[in-house]
Amino acid sequence: MVFYDTTLGKRTYYIGPNDDSPKSLSVSFMATKFNLLTPSEQERIIDHSMKPKSLKKRFLVYAASNCRAHREIAFDALSQIGDVYQGGECWGLKKERSSVKLSTLRFDRDKGSNNNALMYRNYRFALVMESTISERYISEKILNAFLSGTVPIWYGAPEIFDIFNRQAFVYYNVSDPEPALNYIAYLESNTTAYDEVQGQPILAHGVETVAKYFSFSDALGGGQ
């Protein structure tokens, strides 16, 4: 999403496709999503003492309706570690129903992305890779996973590490997946190590991150 300052007033913006100008401001959908959260949900992301914790009942869930190859391949590989659950239309390239279970909660576009956060809370991990890999593109997917208290497994733009604490999620490099797969297998076999990851602060730089990436008003990060 891109906001464009117009001549109508100091705080008037044009939202939508347009040519860039010196006053253009690119805003990720993830940042927009953050500002649509309730104040209590925002606090759970910002305040480490209020960080959600998942129920940890099951290994992993994958909720997507746009079946992109890199995510499908990762899902198939992760199914070799433990029981994986399908929460949307996509469930890997192998389509082996014997190794993929159906989540009781399902992705529902009509209910919005918050429905995903409710689904994720039963799982230790959520596969939330971006559908499109491009510079600075970060959607709401990883934010929904953090809101549920699960550990996100994510792949996308490297700018993510300036927003979210790299110790709080698993970065799954699709070009070299073995390190991530080995790390996830280790966390799945070691509850102490998993709890340490789950207990990490969400934001990379605390309130500085809020001011830099999420501050659209004076009430949140000083309106910077």
Side-chain angles (χ1 to χ4, degrees):
M1 181 179 291
V2 181
F3 290 68
Y4 300 93
D5 194 1
T6 72
T7 58
L8 298 178
K10 184 177 180 181
R11 291 183 177 272
T12 303
Y13 298 89
Y14 175 86
I15 304 176
N18 208 332
D19 293 333
D20 274 340
S21 78
K23 294 185 177 181
S24 296
L25 172 64
S26 296
V27 181
S28 72
F29 188 78
M30 181 269 301
T32 307
K33 163 70 177 180
F34 185 89
N35 280 265
L36 295 176
L37 298 177
T38 66
S40 62
E41 288 173 327
Q42 291 176 349
E43 281 297 311
R44 289 174 214 158
I45 297 295
I46 298 169
D47 188 342
H48 182 216
S49 68
M50 296 179 64
K51 182 180 179 180
K53 297 288 182 68
S54 73
L55 300 177
K56 301 189 289 187
K57 293 180 178 179
R58 299 167 178 166
F59 169 48
L60 178 141
V61 66
Y62 170 43
S65 58
N66 184 1
C67 306
R68 304 302 295 268
H70 62 281
R71 298 195 298 209
E72 301 292 279
I73 292 169
F75 184 64
D76 286 338
L78 290 161
S79 71
Q80 303 303 305
I81 296 174
D83 288 339
V84 291
Y85 285 77
Q86 171 194 0
E89 298 301 319
C90 308
W91 52 297
L93 294 178
K94 294 181 178 179
K95 297 290 188 291
E96 294 178 356
R97 180 52 70 193
S98 61
S99 62
V100 179
K101 304 177 185 298
L102 288 172
S103 171
T104 51
L105 281 174
R106 308 277 292 170
F107 174 70
D108 188 336
R109 288 189 180 277
D110 293 334
K111 293 182 180 179
S113 56
N114 281 351
N115 187 59
N116 278 11
L118 290 174
M119 182 196 317
Y120 295 158
R121 69 191 298 265
N122 289 309
Y123 298 87
R124 294 183 288 280
F125 297 92
L127 181 61
V128 289
M129 292 177 169
E130 299 295 357
S131 58
T132 300
I133 311 303
S134 61
E135 184 181 3
R136 293 184 304 216
Y137 176 77
I138 301 171
S139 74
E140 82 290 357
K141 294 177 180 65
I142 191 170
L143 191 62
N144 286 329
F146 278 130
L147 275 173
S148 75
T150 191
V151 172
I153 299 173
W154 190 87
Y155 176 66
E159 287 83 4
I160 194 75
F161 298 119
D162 195 42
I163 303 173
F164 295 112
N165 176 9
R166 68 173 65 227
Q167 304 302 321
F169 68 100
V170 178
Y171 185 79
Y172 189 112
N173 186 345
V174 298
S175 299
D176 182 22
E178 287 305 315
L181 290 168
N182 291 337
Y183 183 49
I184 293 164
Y186 167 69
L187 295 179
E188 186 65 1
S189 66
N190 188 320
T191 56
T192 300
Y194 176 88
D195 289 344
E196 288 177 357
V197 173
Q198 193 182 46
Q200 288 284 327
I202 294 174
L203 299 179
H205 309 292
V207 293
E208 293 179 14
T209 300
V210 177
K212 184 174 181 180
Y213 289 100
F214 302 130
S215 182
F216 290 175
S217 69
D218 293 342
L220 186 64
Q224 299 182 31

